Amino acid sequence: MPRDAVPQPVRLSDYRPPDWLVDTVHLDVRLHPTATRILARLALRPNPEGREGSPIVLDGDELSLKSIALDGTPLAGSAYVTTAGTLTVLAPPQRALTLEIETVVDPSANTKLMGLYRSSGAYCTQCEAEGFRRITYFPDRPDVLAVYTTRIEAEREEAPVLLANGNPVESGAVEGTSRHYAIWHDPWPKPSYLFALVGGRLDRITDHFVTATGKKVELGIYVEPGKTERAGYAMDALKRSMRWDEEVFGCEYDLDVFNIVAVADFNMGAMENKGLNIFNDKYVLASPETATDADYANIEGIIAHEYFHNWTGNRITCRDWFQLCLKEGLTVFRDQEFSSDQRSRPVKRISDVRLLKGHQFPEDAGPLAHPVRPSTYREINNFYTATVYEKGAEVVRMLKTLLGEEGFRAGMDLYFDRHDGDAATVEDFLACFADANGIDLTQFALWYAQSGTPHLAVSGHWDAQARTYRLDVVQTLPPTPGQPEKQPMVIPLALGLVGPDGNDLPMRLDDGTNAERGVLLVTRPRQSFVFRDVAERPVASLNRGFSAPVKLTSDLTTQDLVFLARHDADPFNRFDAAQTIALAHLVEATAARRTGRDLPSPAALVEALGATLSDATLDPAFIAQALSVPSESDVAREIADDVDPDAIHDARQALRRALSAALRPALEGAYDRHAPTGAYAPDAASAGRRALRNACLDLLAAGGTAPGLARALAHFRDADNMTDRFLALSVLAHNAPDAREEALAAFYERFRDDPLVVDKWLALQAQIAEPGTLERVRGLTGHPAFSWGNPNRVRSLVGSFAGANQTQFNRADGAGHDFVADAVLELDGRNPQVAARLLAAFKSWRSLEPGRRASAERALRRVAAKPGLSPDVGDIVSRSLE
Ligand code: 0A1
Ligand code: ZN
């Protein structure tokens, strides 16, 4: 396919089973830096469910075909045809047969990082979603499951380590040469997207795990030479994940070995290849000097995520890519639960919801909105989104809320039982929960089909005489691209009625039933729920634990919210009450900024946060979350229309300054009380203490007051770990223009040889909300530490500028938009996936005020007009402009 051909949309409704199946794949891969030879032997047979008499159509992309033979006989040129994307064997015998195909690829020239490529000299692969076709011709679709045997051969000097999926079978020297080989066999049938191999000069750490039934699994984590000391935490997280999946889901590991390889050049976070996970090294390597507490938590979560895919993704895979959420939403849910069990559940929930609101809600509200299960796509790489992952996880969480712990587990057990070895669909998944619980999930299934964030408007009415409390709920779902009309959803609304003493009142509905597990089922556009025997006016604590991914508005007063922030038994809502006060304040303050009116008073928020700060029963990590006021993009989302990022920034800065002044003694007290007591440890309790101390410092220094900055300088100087050092650096960079350059330079000098730390340095500078930042970022693209070829560097510098610097990306003069558009065009020829992700930063452009909206549109149109765009960027830009 020519690079600029706009691919035809693929539609879910067009799904047909494959015409040919592949039972086994034998690969012989001769690694070479520029000409790697792949000999593939495929055992194929016609699919009884396919179309009779079909040709064999194989996918291929940028392959050089050397030979092809059918049952040992070379195929005549007239017996097959190739196009840029396919190889078709014409009129094949309609029986089991063998194809032997020899291809050559150039891994050193592979800048897309899909298929076989090189990272710091090592060979590695990335096959999801459609990368296997860049290694050999194959029916590269997830419903073709085969058993793979892989022989890898390489110069021993260049690649002493040779890994592939499954179990090791044999290895040795290639007689009379400087080469060696290894053979791996994976007994579990798998789709091609789970294939992987690695060859290189790598160091490793090893350990083992004994499964619930007593089988010993050898564990290995491979890293660049000299970095083994930083792999220990990942290994620990892996073993905890393996145990947890046995205990919580009854899932046991199923091979003799489990290997992880960390590479420096990777398009995404990590990949769950069977028995051979390949990771972006950012999510493996950690030491107290180089990684923050957030990095440790990410490593734990992503190691778990990839490991959990072994059952949800690998043993049960997806029938087609429309079903991506079947593995991703479910596996995110599982990793969230794991981290909740390892750490503080409420704090984990708060940070997950922050992520959801910060990334998924804007996606759902803009031109790139799509259902959790899309019904059409032009480029599947563009659907590894917050909607498929994070909203997909919320949908699974709602199932659990609806069915309860036991009902949910029964559904999961049935799913594992019924579909082990299958390429399944969302319908298959839901049927397991429906069957195991004897319920109908037809309406619930709308969560997979309708895009957009539902809105719930709730009002409460207490009747003192009748001693009843009525909740009126109105449900709406806004139109989204391609979905002008919506049907009402099933919304599990967890709630509590909080009495004047701060305790929950019993909840009895007027039909005599208890609101089961404290959850109301909202299923209609308008619904009322009446509670009886309510002797006192309650305050409704709504959507507890964020039981449904909805935008909720209510008639709660500011006083009610302050009350909930102090007393709610549900920690998430306690947090959320203060955030709601802050958000309302910021929206009002932003409007005041734009019209020159006086800023509103932050007294209610000061009261709520003051109470939180002085509550000794609260977890420090929770207090830290409470202290961090909604982000600029949270405020932009709330305003939704005619957004002026500068006004938002000013309003938010003013609020932080006001909080800093009003809460100073309490903040200083908490800062001092949470000073480190011993050497750094990454556990949740220690991290929580640091988080609180750092949140206090961050507020104390807001606005650059002298005592706050003095504290920050001391914090920077005295830090003995990256969490503290980087927080202090960031406080200085944002608030102390005079101290900034020296601190940034000192930090760079110290960590210049450590690319993952340099990434933090790049990202921080890109986020400074000042007009000089664009020039700084432009300059940094020429810095020796920066490279357009490494996705982590690009995301840190350009991605942070576009995604985490609202005022400078959306500069009034349009220069921020132009810079990012130029970066996208620069990158597209090299790595379309990274370019397309960067371009998605424009997803909220329509909500900007007219001047900025016009400049964003101009930038997008300029991208759209460029000839030869990749399908990835072409797809994002056309949907953004639709
Ligand atoms: N399945 C992986 C995500 C992933 C998707 C595509 C990739 O290609 C570049 C890489 C990774 C996960 O969910 O972790
Ligand atoms: Zn995943």
Side-chain angles (χ1 to χ4, degrees):
M1 178 170 58
R3 270 179 37 80
D4 57 342
V6 177
Q8 285 306 302
V10 185
R11 289 179 213 291
L12 171 56
S13 54
D14 290 343
Y15 174 82
R16 275 192 294 105
D19 294 323
W20 287 80
L21 299 175
V22 183
D23 291 322
T24 59
V25 178
H26 284 82
L27 292 173
D28 187 352
V29 181
R30 315 262 165 100
L31 292 175
H32 180 280
T34 56
T36 291
R37 247 165 216 280
I38 299 106
L39 295 138
R41 194 167 82 243
L42 317 179
L44 292 133
R45 67 184 155 91
N47 182 3
E49 263 137 55
R51 285 169 308 179
E52 240 187 274
S54 309
I56 303 172
V57 183
L58 307 175
D59 301 297
D61 181 25
E62 296 188 315
L63 295 172
S64 160
L65 176 66
K66 295 298 164 190
S67 68
I68 175 164
L70 196 159
D71 287 340
T73 307
L75 275 185
S78 57
Y80 68 94
V81 284
T82 56
T83 67
T86 58
L87 183 159
T88 304
V89 178
L90 305 164
Q94 297 294 312
R95 54 162 170 80
L97 54 82
T98 302
L99 276 184
E100 280 159 299
I101 302 172
E102 188 181 351
T103 50
V104 171
V105 301
D106 180 351
S108 300
N110 184 352
T111 58
K112 294 181 179 169
L113 314 186
M114 286 296 282
L116 177 68
Y117 67 94
R118 301 184 82 198
S119 176
S120 310
Y123 298 86
C124 65
T125 56
Q126 172 56 41
C127 292
E128 187 177 6
E130 296 178 336
F132 192 69
R133 64 185 65 183
R134 294 167 59 76
I135 296 173
T136 187
Y137 285 101
F138 198 76
D140 194 11
R141 45 188 286 170
D143 55 355
V144 173
L145 277 66
V147 170
Y148 286 66
T149 307
T150 307
R151 180 181 180 279
I152 319 166
E153 188 190 301
E155 289 294 326
R156 191 188 287 276
E157 185 56 28
E158 188 188 35
V161 172
L162 299 173
L163 306 171
N165 311 95
N167 296 319
V169 177
E170 186 186 314
S171 60
V174 180
E175 291 281 305
T177 73
S178 51
R179 294 175 75 79
H180 75 144
Y181 73 94
I183 299 174
W184 292 78
H185 176 73
D186 179 3
W188 298 102
K190 66 166 174 289
S192 49
Y193 82 86
L194 290 173
F195 170 80
L197 71 77
V198 167
R201 187 164 279 290
L202 300 163
D203 283 355
R204 68 162 182 184
I205 62 168
T206 58
D207 206 328
H208 69 271
F209 179 83
V210 180
T211 70
T213 62
K215 280 178 278 181
K216 187 170 174 193
V217 182
E218 300 294 340
L219 309 176
I221 299 187
Y222 292 78
V223 296
E224 278 180 16
K227 296 194 172 166
T228 48
E229 267 158 38
R230 294 197 207 172
Y233 185 76
M235 181 65 89
D236 177 58
L238 173 61
K239 289 191 291 181
R240 286 185 281 123
S241 305
M242 295 177 89
R243 187 63 72 212
W244 185 90
D245 214 13
E246 291 180 341
E247 289 172 2
V248 178
F249 282 96
C251 293
E252 188 176 346
Y253 189 61
D254 54 4
L255 289 167
D256 304 339
V257 302
F258 185 80
N259 285 319
I260 290 175
V261 179
V263 298
D265 304 271
F266 200 74
N267 281 347
M268 309 274 271
M271 180 61 211
E272 69 263 23
N273 318 300
K274 183 81 187 188
L276 178 56
N277 289 359
I278 297 182
F279 271 63
N280 185 328
D281 62 1
K282 172 179 163 68
Y283 297 120
V284 171
L285 301 174
S287 71
E289 295 72 42
T290 59
T292 62
D293 290 329
D295 293 326
Y296 278 95
N298 277 332
I299 289 169
E300 180 179 85
I302 296 176
I303 290 274
H305 179 96
E306 305 311 329
Y307 174 73
F308 296 158
H309 268 315
N310 190 55
W311 276 92
T312 50
N314 301 4
R315 287 288 285 260
I316 306 179
T317 193
C318 300
R319 186 192 73 174
D320 54 70
W321 290 120
F322 296 101
Q323 320 296 328
L324 185 58
C325 65
L326 178 71
K327 71 179 178 82
E328 296 304 347
L330 177 56
T331 305
V332 170
F333 169 77
R334 277 153 49 70
D335 83 54
Q336 290 176 346
E337 286 298 290
F338 167 75
S339 295
S340 300
D341 284 347
Q342 305 289 310
R343 292 161 179 260
S344 149
R345 182 164 281 270
V347 172
K348 174 65 179 155
R349 187 66 186 138
I350 289 167
S351 65
D352 289 341
V353 173
R354 282 200 133 145
L355 185 82
L356 182 83
K357 289 187 175 177
H359 289 97
Q360 199 279 324
F361 277 26
E363 189 166 275
D364 239 354
L368 300 180
H370 55 275
V372 170
R373 181 175 64 182
S375 56
T376 167
Y377 64 77
R378 269 172 295 193
E379 173 52 66
I380 188 57
N381 289 333
N382 289 337
F383 284 84
Y384 290 79
T385 59
T387 297
V388 169
Y389 276 64
E390 270 72 36
K391 187 175 181 182
E394 293 300 318
V395 176
V396 176
R397 185 174 299 282
M398 284 189 286
L399 261 183
K400 183 170 179 191
T401 303
L402 289 170
L403 303 175
E405 190 91 44
E406 280 174 23
F408 179 75
R409 176 69 198 260
M412 285 300 299
D413 287 349
L414 183 56
Y415 179 61
F416 289 131
D417 243 39
R418 194 185 269 179
H419 291 292
D420 186 11
D422 287 353
T425 62
V426 165
E427 282 75 12
D428 293 332
F429 178 69
L430 286 179
C432 293
F433 292 89
D435 294 353
N437 292 275
I439 53 159
D440 178 0
L441 290 170
T442 314
Q443 190 187 2
F444 183 82
L446 288 170
W447 278 105
Y448 287 97
Q450 297 196 133
S451 53
T453 305
H455 179 210
L456 283 190
V458 184
S459 54
H461 312 271
W462 180 59
D463 184 334
Q465 260 175 2
R467 292 163 50 105
T468 57
Y469 183 73
R470 192 182 82 238
L471 271 184
D472 295 333
V473 183
V474 179
Q475 170 189 170
T476 48
L477 186 51
T480 46
Q483 298 189 336
E485 306 281 342
K486 298 285 170 65
Q487 289 167 256
M489 308 270 248
V490 182
I491 297 175
L493 186 68
L495 84 166
L497 300 182
V498 188
D501 63 356
N503 292 321
D504 279 7
L505 303 171
M507 289 195 293
R508 263 183 299 279
L509 288 165
D510 62 351
D511 60 5
T513 59
N514 295 326
E516 221 181 316
R517 290 186 296 269
V519 181
L520 297 177
L521 265 199
V522 178
T523 56
R524 300 196 297 268
R526 293 175 165 276
Q527 228 163 323
S528 292
F529 301 88
V530 180
F531 298 89
R532 67 182 195 200
D533 307 325
V534 185
E536 297 158 302
R537 176 188 177 271
V539 177
S541 166
L542 301 162
N543 208 22
R544 278 187 161 173
F546 208 68
S547 59
V550 299
K551 176 172 163 48
L552 186 138
T553 51
S554 76
D555 60 351
L556 292 181
T557 64
T558 307
Q559 263 171 340
D560 290 336
L561 291 167
V562 172
F563 175 79
L564 290 177
R566 295 184 98 126
H567 299 295
D568 201 319
D570 179 69
F572 178 84
N573 270 14
R574 207 166 157 177
F575 158 84
D576 199 54
Q579 293 287 309
T580 305
I581 300 170
L583 203 51
H585 172 96
L586 288 167
V587 170
E588 205 185 323
T590 301
R593 277 261 156 208
R594 290 185 77 183
T595 53
R597 276 182 285 126
D598 288 346
L599 292 181
S601 152
L605 189 60
V606 169
E607 187 188 345
L609 295 186
T612 304
L613 258 173
S614 63
D615 186 338
T617 65
L618 291 171
D619 175 3
F622 174 89
I623 304 176
Q625 287 283 357
L627 288 179
S628 106
V629 300
S631 68
E632 291 173 18
S633 49
D634 290 336
V635 183
R637 194 177 62 250
E638 189 69 17
I639 295 173
D641 205 24
D642 192 26
V643 166
D644 173 353
D646 288 331
I648 293 176
H649 176 76
D650 292 348
R652 187 170 181 275
Q653 289 299 94
L655 174 63
R656 278 169 44 82
R657 277 196 303 274
L659 292 174
S660 178
L663 297 169
R664 169 149 304 128
L667 291 167
E668 288 175 347
Y671 180 91
D672 294 338
R673 278 197 308 282
H674 292 86
T677 49
Y680 176 92
D683 64 278
S686 317
R689 293 173 61 83
R690 277 187 293 275
L692 176 52
R693 188 160 180 262
N694 286 336
C696 291
L697 177 65
D698 186 44
L699 260 190
L700 282 167
T705 56
L709 292 184
R711 227 175 245 269
L713 275 170
H715 198 92
F716 186 58
R717 193 191 52 222
D718 300 341
D720 71 349
N721 63 79
M722 182 53 79
T723 306
D724 290 337
R725 192 187 305 278
F726 189 66
L727 182 281
L729 180 66
S730 136
V731 166
L732 294 171
H734 287 299
N735 302 289
D738 296 341
R740 174 192 294 156
E741 301 311 324
E742 199 182 318
L744 283 169
F747 187 88
Y748 180 72
E749 273 317 305
R750 188 176 182 125
F751 296 107
R752 54 184 298 160
D753 297 326
D754 201 319
L756 295 177
V757 183
V758 170
D759 281 344
K760 298 181 193 300
W761 179 81
L762 293 170
L764 173 55
Q765 295 180 77
Q767 290 174 49
I768 299 173
E770 287 175 13
T773 294
L774 178 57
E775 267 327 294
R776 182 191 287 268
V777 170
R778 233 192 263 286
L780 285 168
T781 60
H783 192 282
F786 181 80
S787 156
W788 288 105
N790 177 281
N792 287 354
R793 290 314 86 75
V794 173
R795 281 187 289 253
S796 295
L797 184 64
V798 192
S800 299
F801 178 78
N805 194 337
Q806 293 294 303
T807 60
Q808 302 314 302
F809 171 52
N810 297 304
R811 278 164 61 125
D813 65 3
H817 294 148
D818 284 343
F819 169 72
V820 175
D822 288 340
V824 167
L825 292 174
E826 156 83 30
L827 268 169
D828 195 32
R830 183 194 288 269
N831 189 330
Q833 269 184 43
V834 174
R837 280 203 167 244
L838 185 58
L839 187 62
F842 283 92
K843 63 178 173 292
S844 301
W845 72 274
R846 281 187 206 278
S847 62
L848 293 165
E849 54 80 22
R852 289 172 170 88
R853 190 172 35 192
S855 98
E857 182 168 0
R858 268 197 309 277
L860 284 167
R861 293 212 180 277
R862 190 158 60 80
V863 172
K866 177 93 185 276
L869 284 184
S870 67
D872 308 59
V873 167
D875 171 47
I876 296 284
V877 79
S878 64
R879 280 193 285 141
S880 298
L881 286 166
E882 256 163 31

